[in-house]
Amino acid sequence: MPVNELLAIAMFASFMVLVFTGFPVAWVLGGLAVAFSALAIIADADFGARIGVDWAYASLSVERIYNVMENWVMVALPMFIFMGLLLDRSGIAADLMTNFSRLFGRVRGGLAIAVTLIGLLLAATTGIIGASVVLLALLGLPVMLREGYDPRLAAGTICAVGTLGILIPPSIMLVLMADRMAMSVGDLFLGALFPGLLLGGLYIAFLVMVGWLRPAAAPAAHAGGDIDLMVVLGLLRAIVAPASLILAVLGSIFFGLATPTEAAGVGAFGALLLAALNRKLSGAVLRDVLRETTKTTAFIFAILLGATAFSLVLRGLGGDDLIKGVLLGLPFGANGILLCILLATFVLGFFLDWIELTLIILPLVSPVVIGLGFDPVWFTILFAVSLQTSFLTPPVGFAIFYLKGVAPPSIDTGVIYQGVVPFIALQLIGLGIVYAWPDLVTWLPARAYQVH
Amino acid sequence: MQLPTTAASRAIDGFIRRIGDAIAWVWLVLLAVIVCNVVARYAFDEGRIEFEELQWHLYSIGMLLGLAYCYVADEHIRVDALSERFSPRLRAWIELYGSVLLLLPFIALIVIFGIPFVARSFQVDEVSVSPGGLPLRWLIKAVLPLGFLLLGAAVVARLLRVWALLFPRHSADRDAG
């Protein structure tokens, strides 16, 4: 095996090992870029390896990072983060919970369905998993436990629904994926919409079934009066504001009225208005949200900058060709290779965050998949659903950690692990449906082009 | 990770926190610029290229100067599934070696090659290639090494604290943090 390929494998292996020391991922990536540039230079100078990676090549990192800076699409990211963080503080979710549980609470499984619907609405505004899971847990968990829900069902519902935020547009993950794949953000947003709703629908169908087959696990709530017109009106009033915000953001992208960046800015402005209308907007809240936005933006982009340098050097070492050779050398057909990639993504997601997988793995595998003739948008959405599923899988499911952080002591890790199992099964069913029926992804973006 | 602080680390961290607190408002300015540009495009039918460029200028400033701010708050993503079971001393050693062997070299790469990158832009008096775009391109390019220099300062502050934990006798001015 040539020296450069050995170095490429060593570079990737070093990443997988060093990341588990707990040192920040971004700096492991950036540091390995420098270290392996040095190793390549030594190999060239002292062993005549002729890899061609030198400091002039490594210094291209600066130009690449500048390309990230001047990328106008990236401006959407901090705006979506700000919008999500502010909406979480705006009291909208609490209003929704009160009204949804009045309407659905008296049906078996109704409270869990209410949580799912709120989660879907939140998913269409935030896309920040940690924030969604925490908010849903604080709002929904005490109510469900008080009404005698099986703690496993309650915990599983919250974890699963909380992760939908990363898939359902507008999603910061999809913005990053679009950037790495040189695709249109709008196409990915529209492509992810139906798969996201499909998963939400599967959750609700499952909850209805549990309520029907095992009433003790999801009993009808005692609290609340009869359902009358006032209840329905109250719910409509609570829904109308967030729903119109979501429609404005996604609709303006669908009809080509605004770029994703503009839609993000206008959505953030809408979130400010909503918070102000709900009398939740104070100087202190605004200051906190702005500071959180700065930190969240910084940690995502830190990994992006580190990954930019890492990918540059890995490519210089021939890592791209190596991966391509391995994948194409698999003894399966095109579909088999695709399934292997999705499986590997799912497994890597046990340990790594979506940011690393999107920035390191996706750019490595996507040229192979597209070369095999698969639709890029469809593949990216499959990749996204696999990643979203991996948030639910022990041992390192991030949604599980976030829930554990805010749940009462009676909800221990074992309860959560058991609770997420049926939802992982639902995710795999959803993934299978999207795989078997690509129109679910490709139909809406195609419609949008006809509308333009 | 619980680390003791030193007088120097507190001064550096405090300085970076104040900068970050101020920089956080850039997102509100960015929001206003985007909304104004959208309104201008639809109401007066003239989207302005300088407004679009201003947007990525503002985002770059917030993102790059936020790196050190996020670092001081210790919110950069770590995979801590294993490391949360490590002893504080082991974690401090990891922080020490990681900073010296990985993070500081990365910062050096960006700063060493970033400064000539800015200097070239300054020498040729680079401006936007778009008609009506913003001038003084070197100024926004300079934010890249600046952000990493600030991050470097934050790393020095963290290393002082790691050192104080690992070698308490040698740090005369330590106190509980």
Side-chain angles (χ1 to χ4, degrees):
Chain A
M1 185 175 266
V3 181
N4 66 324
E5 292 193 352
L6 283 176
L7 281 177
I9 293 170
M11 188 176 184
F12 199 79
S14 309
F15 169 68
M16 291 304 293
V17 171
L18 288 175
V19 88
F20 283 101
T21 61
F23 197 66
V25 179
W27 319 138
V28 171
L29 288 167
L32 285 176
V34 180
F36 277 82
S37 300
L39 285 177
I41 291 167
I42 293 170
D44 275 8
D46 296 347
F47 303 100
R50 295 212 203 158
I51 299 169
V53 170
D54 55 11
W55 291 123
Y57 181 80
S59 76
L60 289 176
S61 299
V62 170
E63 323 249 341
R64 296 289 160 84
I65 292 176
Y66 180 66
N67 292 341
V68 173
M69 291 166 64
E70 63 174 358
N71 184 345
W72 191 47
V73 176
M74 284 298 182
V75 178
L77 257 151
M79 288 292 99
F80 280 134
I81 292 169
F82 174 82
M83 174 179 165
L85 290 172
L86 187 62
L87 280 176
D88 282 349
R89 301 282 289 268
S90 66
I92 284 171
D95 274 359
L96 287 171
M97 188 68 207
T98 319
N99 287 291
F100 268 124
S101 32
R102 253 190 234 147
L103 190 61
F104 293 137
R106 294 164 64 84
V107 186
R108 283 188 227 148
L111 286 175
I113 294 171
V115 166
T116 307
L117 290 172
I118 295 164
L120 283 171
L121 283 168
L122 281 182
T125 61
T126 66
I128 303 168
I129 288 193
S132 303
V133 172
V134 168
L135 191 58
L136 290 172
L138 293 176
L139 289 173
L141 199 53
V143 190
M144 284 195 278
L145 293 179
R146 199 172 58 228
E147 297 293 344
Y149 271 61
D150 186 328
R152 290 172 300 184
L153 183 70
T157 307
I158 286 168
C159 281
V161 172
T163 62
L164 280 178
I166 202 143
L167 183 65
I168 293 186
S171 137
I172 51 178
M173 178 172 81
L174 295 177
V175 175
L176 276 180
M177 286 183 163
D179 174 65
R180 291 283 109 164
M181 308 263 300
M183 285 179 348
S184 136
V185 176
D187 282 358
L188 274 191
F189 275 12
L190 298 175
L193 189 62
F194 285 127
L197 293 177
L198 168 79
L199 288 168
L202 286 174
Y203 294 173
I204 292 174
F206 168 72
L207 292 168
V208 169
M209 234 168 62
V210 171
W212 187 45
L213 295 174
R214 288 184 50 218
H222 306 291
D226 289 328
I227 295 170
D228 55 20
L229 195 62
M230 289 310 290
V231 174
V232 177
L233 284 179
L235 180 65
L236 284 180
R237 204 178 52 88
I239 284 186
V240 75
S244 47
L245 188 59
I246 293 163
L247 280 180
V249 171
L250 291 183
S252 59
I253 295 174
F254 179 81
F255 290 108
L257 297 176
T259 63
T261 303
E262 291 171 341
V266 173
F269 182 65
L272 264 179
L273 287 183
L274 275 186
L277 284 175
N278 271 10
R279 299 179 193 285
K280 289 281 163 54
L281 188 66
S282 65
V285 167
L286 187 59
R287 197 190 61 205
D288 285 355
V289 168
L290 286 169
R291 289 178 182 177
E292 277 309 307
T293 305
T294 312
K295 289 180 203 157
T296 308
T297 304
F299 74 61
I300 292 177
F301 276 94
I303 299 180
L304 180 59
L305 303 188
T308 301
F310 183 90
S311 303
L312 177 76
V313 174
L314 189 64
R315 193 172 309 126
L317 294 173
D320 288 22
D321 293 335
L322 187 66
I323 294 268
K324 193 173 165 189
V326 169
L327 286 175
L328 292 179
L330 290 172
F332 317 115
N335 283 302
I337 294 173
L338 181 67
L339 288 175
C340 281
I341 290 172
L342 293 178
L343 186 70
T345 310
F346 180 67
V347 172
L348 282 172
F350 287 9
F351 310 104
L352 297 177
D353 207 344
W354 63 267
I355 310 178
E356 296 94 274
L357 289 168
T358 301
L359 297 176
I360 301 290
I361 307 293
L362 186 62
L364 280 177
V365 298
S366 63
V368 179
V369 174
I370 293 165
L372 288 171
F374 291 109
D375 181 77
V377 176
W378 176 67
F379 165 68
T380 309
I381 300 301
L382 284 175
F383 192 88
V385 176
S386 309
L387 273 188
Q388 184 231 335
T389 310
S390 69
F391 275 89
L392 292 173
T393 47
V396 194
F398 287 87
I400 296 172
F401 287 152
Y402 290 125
L403 177 61
K404 189 78 194 66
V406 290
S410 66
I411 306 281
D412 63 21
T413 319
V415 169
I416 304 178
Y417 281 179
Q418 289 173 37
V420 294
V421 169
F423 289 94
I424 295 173
L426 292 173
Q427 285 289 130
L428 294 178
I429 294 172
L431 191 63
I433 296 176
V434 176
Y435 177 81
W437 199 21
D439 283 353
L440 214 52
V441 173
T442 53
W443 181 78
L444 194 60
R447 284 291 298 163
Y449 281 113
Q450 289 169 12
V451 171
H452 287 184
Chain B
M1 189 163 32
Q2 290 292 324
L3 291 171
T5 62
T6 72
S9 83
R10 282 192 298 275
I12 297 172
D13 285 352
F15 173 68
I16 291 171
R17 244 182 242 119
R18 273 198 298 280
I19 292 181
D21 286 345
I23 288 295
W25 294 94
V26 87
W27 307 121
L28 211 55
V29 180
L30 173 57
L31 198 165
V33 172
I34 296 177
V35 171
C36 288
N37 199 41
V38 172
V39 169
R41 192 149 64 88
Y42 280 99
F44 312 111
D45 207 23
E46 55 164 354
R48 304 193 70 114
I49 197 83
E50 59 262 49
F51 273 99
E52 286 185 12
E53 293 202 348
L54 190 57
Q55 289 168 25
W56 67 255
H57 279 60
L58 290 169
Y59 128 82
S60 294
I61 292 169
M63 178 264 286
L64 288 166
L65 299 186
L67 291 175
Y69 183 59
C70 183
Y71 181 91
V72 168
D74 199 10
E75 291 193 20
H76 282 288
I77 292 185
R78 300 169 184 268
V79 176
D80 47 13
L82 289 180
S83 65
E84 65 187 1
R85 302 195 184 100
F86 296 168
S87 71
R89 282 189 69 82
L90 177 56
R91 292 169 73 178
W93 278 111
I94 290 171
E95 196 69 16
L96 178 64
Y97 275 106
S99 303
V100 172
L101 296 177
L102 295 167
L103 177 48
L104 286 177
F106 182 47
I107 293 173
L109 177 80
I110 302 301
V111 172
I112 289 172
F113 292 105
I115 288 172
F117 178 70
V118 176
R120 273 197 304 279
S121 172
F122 181 75
Q123 276 158 7
V124 302
D125 201 12
E126 188 188 1
V127 296
S128 168
V129 289
S130 317
L134 296 175
L136 301 178
R137 192 56 30 118
W138 65 272
L139 210 54
I140 188 66
K141 285 186 170 177
V143 179
L144 175 54
L146 187 68
F148 273 79
L149 278 173
L150 208 58
L151 181 62
V155 176
V156 171
R158 174 84 57 85
L159 285 178
L160 288 172
R161 300 175 61 194
V162 168
W163 199 261
L165 180 104
L166 290 173
F167 309 106
R169 276 165 302 168
H170 300 294
S171 354
D173 60 345
R174 84 200 156 84
D175 54 89

